[in-house]
Amino acid sequence: MIISMRFSASEHMEGGITLEEAVRSVAIMEQAADIIQCSVGMIHNEFTEGNTFPMQYMQRGCNVPFAEEIRRHVHIPIETVGGINEPEMAEQIIAEGKADLVAMARSIIADPDWANKARDGRPEDIRPCIRCLRCLNYSRRPQTGTSVCTVNPRRIIHTLLPDTGTGHTRKKVVVVGGGPAGLQAAQEIGKLGHQVVLFEKGDKLGGRLEFSEYLSFKSDIRRYRDYLIAQVEKLSNVTVRLNTDATPQLVSDQRPDAVIVAVGAEKFIPGIPGAEGSNVIHSGELFERREDLGQKVIVVGGGQVGCEQTVWLQASGREVDVVEMEDQLMKENWRDTPEEHFWTEFYMTHEYDEGRTEVEHARTIDRVRIHLSTRCVEITDKAYGRRIRREADSLYRENMLFWPQAFAE
Ligand code: SF4
């Protein structure tokens, strides 16, 4: 029986295991174990858990240097783990002598065929984990006792929705929309052998996932988008028609047996006076209109989108005020992805640098001011003027006009 022992080569916290102590400990461990798996961090600490389960803000493979150091001091195989989900990267770590083995968990949840596809030289077919940690949080809930996966729907419904296989009547299906939902639908239907025509009104596939091109910490989403596109492009029975509006006539000309409408969400403009002014940019258009942004920006809405865009805005040196009606940021889905929300909030007010492998040395910045329990009631045409009413404190009865200097105070 092979005994593999997992431990943290550094807990990254005061009073926790240091790398020097870990080096001394492995001399004892190697007398009993056959393999040592080097993790980093400590899962009961929200800061250092970010290393144990590296998320979008951490570099993939951020724990490898620790395995490499431990490997210098032992004579048994060392395994590294943490955010490694590309075969090429795993191969490189081993080829460079940084570890003898690479372990992964979330990548296998996202795609149970990971190893087979890697072995067959089909890395583009691996459904990439986007490191959101929903799987972990569902499995931690006693009432569910199982885990889900954001990118692998069969993770939870595999017993309810078995592979239908072949042997059914071939149908013609029109998919309207080439965003993630349309691509996933075309892929699933195409793999069952049906004939699919996908209409996309834009000049490329991927839809709203385009935003991942602009946010360095969304590289996992970028990979996921590329995976979806690659899967659809591989299927000879799926025809993609770009720059095409799916008019009723065009759809009925196809004589489809079924139509899947996957056109995404409509832009929502709140009924705030001034919300349609030229100085207002909808979050979905932020990157298209980034040239229009000034140095000072107010983000109205502290949900996940507003907060992640705030990380980008502050990292580009801008001053940001975030106005949120609730008493907490990103309240809508804290339950599902608390770690991701914790780090988003952290990087709203700390220096974000793309190559980070540890979080503890991130410096605090003061470019972002957060206004909770605050409602935006009017947007004026002044460069930075917003009239907002604070609802949760003594200012409730007054409408306050907040100017830059008022915020600064
Ligand atoms: S739920 Fe998220 S973190 Fe977990 S395996 Fe799926 S994509 Fe990865």
Side-chain angles (χ1 to χ4, degrees):
M1 181 191 289
I2 295 172
I3 298 175
S4 172
M5 181 166 180
R6 173 171 165 130
F7 89 124
S8 195
S10 169
E11 288 183 328
H12 278 337
M13 58 187 287
E14 208 177 325
I17 298 169
T18 62
L19 184 57
E20 295 70 35
E21 285 170 333
V23 166
R24 289 202 299 276
S25 304
V26 290
I28 302 165
M29 290 178 198
E30 72 173 332
Q31 293 170 27
D34 300 293
I35 297 168
I36 294 175
Q37 186 182 110
C38 290
S39 180
V40 175
M42 217 272 228
I43 61 168
H44 297 296
N45 177 299
E46 53 196 359
F47 267 93
T48 64
E49 194 180 37
N51 265 92
T52 311
F53 309 113
M55 280 163 280
Q56 60 178 357
Y57 295 107
M58 300 289 280
Q59 253 189 12
R60 287 198 289 273
C62 56
N63 297 338
V64 174
F66 294 86
E68 188 179 7
E69 180 57 27
I70 293 292
R71 191 170 181 266
R72 292 201 186 98
H73 302 274
V74 294
H75 305 93
I76 61 172
I78 291 296
E79 191 167 27
T80 184
V81 66
I84 301 163
N85 47 19
E86 292 161 296
E88 198 181 323
M89 186 179 192
E91 294 283 12
Q92 192 179 347
I93 290 165
I94 293 170
E96 290 175 353
K98 293 176 176 168
D100 302 288
L101 295 153
V102 173
M104 53 191 70
R106 287 176 290 173
S107 297
I108 310 294
I109 294 173
D111 192 339
D113 276 331
W114 193 101
N116 293 331
K117 291 173 181 172
R119 180 199 56 199
D120 297 344
R122 297 189 288 128
E124 74 284 0
D125 289 345
I126 294 175
R127 188 189 299 113
C129 163
I130 57 169
R131 298 193 291 166
C132 62
L133 276 190
R134 276 181 79 216
C135 49
L136 180 77
N137 290 302
Y138 267 73
S139 61
R140 278 173 172 170
R141 288 186 204 160
Q143 69 273 28
T144 58
T146 184
S147 74
V148 299
C149 175
T150 305
V151 299
N152 178 9
R154 283 184 194 280
R155 175 74 187 165
I156 191 145
I157 55 173
H158 59 281
T159 49
L160 305 172
L161 187 66
D163 269 325
T164 38
T166 53
H168 43 72
T169 315
R170 297 280 183 273
K171 291 188 176 176
K172 173 118 186 229
V173 181
V174 165
V175 175
V176 182
L183 289 169
Q184 181 70 41
Q187 180 193 155
E188 291 287 333
I189 299 162
K191 281 180 179 168
L192 291 173
H194 299 295
Q195 196 190 340
V196 182
V197 180
L198 186 153
F199 293 121
E200 165 54 47
K201 73 173 176 185
D203 59 359
K204 57 177 113 160
L205 294 172
R208 286 281 173 216
L209 299 187
E210 173 73 6
F211 80 94
S212 60
E213 286 290 338
Y214 301 97
L215 298 172
S216 60
F217 54 86
K218 288 291 179 188
S219 64
D220 294 313
I221 301 273
R222 198 153 61 232
R223 289 172 59 237
Y224 177 61
R225 177 202 61 184
D226 294 346
Y227 154 81
L228 288 173
I229 295 173
Q231 297 311 296
V232 164
E233 288 180 344
K234 272 187 165 195
L235 291 165
S236 57
N237 52 331
V238 176
T239 306
V240 174
R241 291 180 53 182
L242 297 175
N243 299 307
T244 308
D245 247 328
T247 60
Q249 186 61 50
L250 195 60
V251 172
S252 73
D253 285 351
Q254 296 291 324
R255 300 185 175 282
D257 296 299
V259 178
I260 292 185
V261 179
V263 293
E266 287 285 315
K267 180 160 88 173
F268 169 69
I269 308 273
I272 301 170
E276 296 193 67
S278 59
N279 58 342
V280 178
I281 299 176
H282 187 268
S283 60
E285 294 157 0
L286 177 66
F287 301 108
E288 282 160 44
R289 292 188 54 192
R290 60 193 182 284
E291 303 299 326
D292 298 342
L293 281 169
Q295 188 59 21
K296 293 175 176 175
V297 180
I298 292 179
V299 174
V300 180
Q304 192 170 358
V305 172
C307 290
E308 287 190 343
Q309 292 190 341
T310 299
V311 174
W312 178 78
L313 288 164
Q314 74 84 356
S316 60
R318 293 182 171 89
E319 280 185 48
V320 190
D321 285 280
V322 181
V323 178
E324 168 54 45
M325 289 194 294
E326 296 278 4
D327 56 0
Q328 185 188 346
L329 293 172
M330 296 169 281
K331 198 166 183 174
E332 71 274 17
N333 51 357
W334 256 101
R335 211 168 112 88
D336 276 9
T337 51
E339 293 84 3
E340 193 168 78
H341 287 15
F342 174 84
W343 288 112
T344 299
E345 211 170 321
F346 180 82
Y347 282 117
M348 285 168 77
T349 50
H350 289 77
E351 226 166 40
Y352 172 67
D353 109 52
E354 200 181 327
R356 190 168 293 288
T357 56
E358 286 178 42
V359 290
E360 58 194 336
H361 304 304
R363 277 196 302 137
T364 314
I365 50 109
D366 58 5
R367 291 190 290 277
V368 178
R369 291 165 292 267
I370 296 165
H371 311 271
L372 298 175
S373 304
T374 304
R375 181 187 294 268
C376 172
V377 295
E378 186 180 9
I379 300 170
T380 72
D381 57 0
K382 305 276 186 257
Y384 193 64
R386 301 288 189 278
R387 195 171 68 167
I388 62 177
R389 180 173 62 203
R390 295 184 63 85
E391 291 203 316
D393 57 26
S394 57
L395 301 177
Y396 177 74
R397 280 166 294 133
E398 295 177 44
N399 279 349
M400 298 295 293
L401 193 59
F402 277 78
W403 297 104
Q405 52 272 45
F407 277 122
E409 283 163 14

